[in-house]
């Protein structure tokens, strides 16, 4: 890659000339001589091969090319400043990245709220979010490639912070054979029907969770796919209520009237990497995840302003 001919200082100088209304004003703002500012801009024009400013009376006015380059240069200077800030924060122990792995059944609305609130406080720290199913979360945490993990499992050797429970309900299409029985259902009624289950994304010791007594069972890769299959009349499944609220409301899915076990409420836990001390950014994100975990999913939301 060819080295840039124009420096960040030169772009800052051009911006000052435009923003402050002239060479003299820019020189005063930059604490430099007017001749130095004028030379810097003239040198830039020679290096770039295009005129950036033209003199209109006593005022320097951007050319069309100058306007385009100035707009692009503002982003360049801003990014350079952010890079320097990030280096400063890293020197003080601030993380460059937080790796968060979450069970796909955990409500996205809570994650969005927490991450939205985290962004103005992040100081350039990136978040790498990864979704897994069942033991896949535990596996990623144990491999040491996650800083934080949200799972419904009690992970051996880790002390998790208790979060809220997620309700799973047994559902099928309203015209499914089970609903056509028009009575309270028992597990024996389910045994002859197709059950749709979600594949555990863990590779080492995948687990089966919930009732799996149907003679015919189809396994899919995601909760969304399971909801689509069941909503199309293909089988029944236990799905997170928050994920299918619209389908239930619009009558595309209907809760099965089971005499027992029609709903279950696994509690989720927030874990941290025990082999790595929590940095300041990770600690902030932990508090935000805990805060927004308790907020109603349909509550009005505005991210808190940065202190």
């Amino acid at each position: 890659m060819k080295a840039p001919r124009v420096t960040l200082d030169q772009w800052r100088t051009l911006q000052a000339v435009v923003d402050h209304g002239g060479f003299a004003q820019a020189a005063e703002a930059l604490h430099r001589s007017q001749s130095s500012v004028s030379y810097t801009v003239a040198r830039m024009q020679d290096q770039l091969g295009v005129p950036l400013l033209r003199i209109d009376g006593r005022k320097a006015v951007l050319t069309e090319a100058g306007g385009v380059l100035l707009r692009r240069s503002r982003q360049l200077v801003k990014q350079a400043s952010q890079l320097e800030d990030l280096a400063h924060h890293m020197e003080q122990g601030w993380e460059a990245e937080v790796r968060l792995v979450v069970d796909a059944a955990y409500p996205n609305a809570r994650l969005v709220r927490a991450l939205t609130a985290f962004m103005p406080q992040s100081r350039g720290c990136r978040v790498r979010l990864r979704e897994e199913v069942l033991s896949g979360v535990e596996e990623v945490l144990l491999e040491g490639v996650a800083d934080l993990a949200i799972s419904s499992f009690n992970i051996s050797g880790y002390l998790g912070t208790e979060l809220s429970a997620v309700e799973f309900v047994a559902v099928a299409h309203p015209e499914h054979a089970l609903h056509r029985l028009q009575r309270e259902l028992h597990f024996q009624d389910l045994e002859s029907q197709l059950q749709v289950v979600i594949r555990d994304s863990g590779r080492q010791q995948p687990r089966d969770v919930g009732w799996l007594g149907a003679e015919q069972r189809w396994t899919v890769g995601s909760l969304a796919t399971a909801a689509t299959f069941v909503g199309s009349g293909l089988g029944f499944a236990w799905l997170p209520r928050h994920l299918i609220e619209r389908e239930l409301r619009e009558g595309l899915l209907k809760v099965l009237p089971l005499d027992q076990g029609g709903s279950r409420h696994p509690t989720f836990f927030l874990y941290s990497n025990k082999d790595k001390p929590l940095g300041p950014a990770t600690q902030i994100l932990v508090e935000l995840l805990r805060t927004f975990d308790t907020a109603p999913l349909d509550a009005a939301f505005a991210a808190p302003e940065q202190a």
Side-chain angles (χ1 to χ4, degrees), residues 30-170:
L30 296 173
H31 306 289
R32 291 164 57 180
S33 66
Q34 183 174 340
S35 60
S36 171
V37 171
S38 299
Y39 174 79
T40 298
V41 175
R43 177 66 176 156
M44 281 183 72
Q45 295 182 115
D46 291 340
Q47 290 170 311
L48 294 171
V50 292
L52 302 174
L53 297 170
R54 58 181 175 82
I55 303 301
D56 187 359
R58 295 185 175 182
K59 190 174 181 181
V61 180
L62 281 169
T63 63
E64 183 176 352
V68 172
L69 293 173
L70 179 68
R71 286 193 296 274
R72 296 289 295 272
S73 76
R74 291 192 189 281
Q75 287 298 318
L76 180 66
V77 172
K78 180 180 179 181
Q79 289 170 0
S81 178
Q82 290 173 339
L83 189 63
E84 292 171 0
D85 288 343
L86 178 58
H88 174 68
H89 296 319
M90 289 174 67
E91 183 186 12
Q92 296 179 324
W94 198 269
E95 308 94 297
E97 179 179 82
V98 176
R99 301 165 299 173
L100 171 64
V101 58
V102 181
D103 190 293
Y106 187 76
N108 270 335
R110 290 177 179 148
L111 290 177
V112 168
R113 293 178 179 196
L115 294 174
T116 300
F118 176 70
M119 189 172 180
Q121 305 179 59
S122 65
R123 302 186 189 180
C125 176
R126 299 174 299 178
V127 175
R128 187 183 296 272
L129 177 62
R130 176 171 173 176
E131 279 192 334
E132 296 287 342
V133 177
L134 299 173
S135 72
V137 177
E138 178 181 5
E139 198 167 287
V140 172
L141 182 64
L142 294 176
E143 288 172 352
V145 292
D147 301 306
L148 299 173
I150 295 178
S151 172
S152 62
F153 289 162
N154 286 304
I155 300 177
S156 177
Y158 286 80
L159 185 62
T161 299
E162 185 172 323
L163 300 177
S164 58
V166 171
E167 182 186 11
F168 283 72
V169 288

Side-chain angles (χ1 to χ4, degrees), residues 258-287:
L258 286 166
D259 62 338
Q260 59 178 344
S263 68
R264 54 188 179 89
H265 303 76
T267 298
F268 280 73
F269 298 88
L270 174 61
Y271 297 96
S272 61
N273 188 331
K274 65 179 182 179
D275 297 321
K276 178 182 176 183
L278 295 183
T282 308
Q283 292 180 45
I284 290 172
L285 184 54
V286 164
E287 290 306 311

